[in-house]
Amino acid sequence: MSVKKFAVIGHPIGHTMSPFIHKRLFELSGVDAEYGVIDVAPENIENDYNNILKSLDGYNITIPHKQAIIPLLNDIDSKAKMYGSVNTVANRDGKATGYTTDPDGFLKALEYAGIPLDGRVVVLGCGGVARTFAYEVLLKGTPLEFAIRAEDREMVEKLISEINSTLDSPKVSYCTIPELSGDITTLINATPIGMSPKSDAQPVSDEVIAKSANVFDAVYNPLETVLIKKAKANGSRAQGGMSMLVWQAVVSHYHWDGSTYNADDIERLCLDAARELMNR
């Protein structure tokens, strides 16, 4: 049996964790495969698609190609269509199909951490990551509240308008972060605040953290942000972003070859990936 070939494409792409994570996943599933890194400049995407990417069994896509790749593919699944974004492609029998695994990675990270998406859910931020989280919360029928910087009012109002036109009667609102108060079932940080090298920062006050029963932070470097550490110190259930990074990779493998994994193996991989990141 020939060795299958996979890669991650992006530009620039010097410090990706994808090879470390995906190689481990191939080892766990027993699939004989190679996984590389391909720097594709935006102006070369069509040429490299025809001359390089078509020869792979599959690949992951990062910035800036998640939208640009779509017109080149034969098909994309329904969730990728809804988000207008593709981060995984499977090449089967000469047909390239695109998927987005970020939403499922988010949901699986919460599921295995025991963090619910019901009650009062607050998403910090209103950028691309917050948009993904918001849709997944609202698709479950749970009301959602954005908490934003005052200067992002126009951005969040535009996002809420898009959500209202896309989903059927979503319950969505917003406030500024200083206005955030009261008990929160699940607090989700979709901002880069707390990311290394500014890892001493936190996106909300200690008072808000103390009122949050569950906390998810999309930041994965460091493994435990100040937000996560303080939430755990308060006795809250808390999970950092490395779990989402690994679980979205797991979903890629499901699309490529149907592989499934043991949750304990994935938890161990999250810790190993965090150590690898620190070593770098």
Side-chain angles (χ1 to χ4, degrees):
M1 185 181 293
S2 61
V3 177
K4 293 186 176 182
K5 296 185 182 297
F6 298 85
V8 58
I9 71 164
H11 181 79
I13 197 167
H15 301 287
T16 176
M17 285 292 294
S18 290
F20 180 87
I21 293 170
H22 286 284
K23 287 177 182 179
R24 278 284 296 276
L25 290 172
F26 282 124
E27 290 172 5
L28 288 169
S29 64
V31 174
D32 191 6
E34 297 175 352
Y35 191 98
V37 176
I38 303 174
D39 192 312
V40 177
E43 64 272 18
N44 294 335
I45 183 66
E46 186 170 355
N47 181 70
D48 286 354
Y49 174 80
N50 289 313
N51 295 323
I52 300 173
L53 303 182
K54 279 186 175 182
S55 67
L56 300 175
D57 293 283
Y59 49 95
N60 296 115
I61 303 156
T62 188
I63 295 171
H65 303 308
K66 289 186 177 184
Q67 288 79 41
I69 196 71
I70 293 175
L72 304 175
L73 304 176
N74 299 108
D75 193 18
I76 62 173
D77 80 340
S78 58
K79 188 154 279 192
K81 287 178 183 175
M82 186 182 82
Y83 283 106
S85 176
V86 164
N87 75 344
T88 297
V89 172
N91 286 330
R92 302 186 197 92
D93 303 320
K95 180 181 179 181
T97 303
Y99 306 90
T100 178
T101 68
D102 288 331
D104 289 333
F106 166 63
L107 294 176
K108 284 184 175 293
L110 294 187
E111 175 187 347
Y112 283 93
I115 295 177
L117 286 179
D118 55 24
R120 185 186 180 199
V121 177
V122 175
V123 171
L124 304 175
C126 57
V129 176
R131 177 177 178 265
T132 296
F133 296 168
Y135 269 99
E136 293 307 310
V137 173
L138 292 165
L139 284 168
K140 289 186 172 295
T142 302
L144 175 77
E145 185 177 351
F146 289 105
I148 60 153
R149 302 177 303 176
E151 58 264 38
D152 290 335
R153 286 182 189 273
E154 184 177 344
M155 183 186 299
V156 77
E157 287 172 358
K158 183 178 179 180
L159 176 55
I160 290 174
S161 177
E162 176 205 312
I163 290 169
N164 284 327
S165 66
T166 304
L167 302 181
D168 184 24
S169 303
K171 296 178 181 178
V172 56
S173 60
Y174 79 90
C175 67
T176 62
I177 290 175
E179 293 170 336
L180 192 58
S181 63
D183 292 336
I184 297 171
T185 306
T186 298
L187 178 71
I188 300 171
N189 180 33
T191 79
I193 296 173
M195 182 184 295
S196 180
K198 298 180 180 179
S199 53
D200 58 344
Q202 63 187 64
V204 290
S205 67
D206 289 352
E207 290 75 19
V208 171
I209 300 172
K211 290 280 192 177
S212 301
N214 304 276
V215 175
F216 177 76
D217 195 339
V219 172
Y220 63 83
N221 183 18
L223 181 64
E224 287 195 346
T225 59
V226 171
L227 173 61
I228 294 298
K229 287 178 180 178
K230 288 187 174 181
K232 286 184 174 181
N234 292 334
S236 301
R237 188 178 285 111
Q239 180 67 58
M242 183 59 77
S243 178
M244 177 179 162
L245 185 69
V246 172
W247 276 109
Q248 62 88 16
V250 167
V251 179
S252 291
H253 284 248
Y254 176 78
H255 290 309
W256 288 334
D257 52 38
S259 293
T260 57
Y261 298 85
N262 181 288
D264 290 339
D265 287 335
I266 299 307
E267 184 175 355
R268 194 173 302 111
L269 176 52
C270 289
L271 294 173
D272 290 346
R275 293 190 191 100
E276 173 70 13
L277 193 63
M278 289 175 64
N279 290 337
R280 293 183 183 185

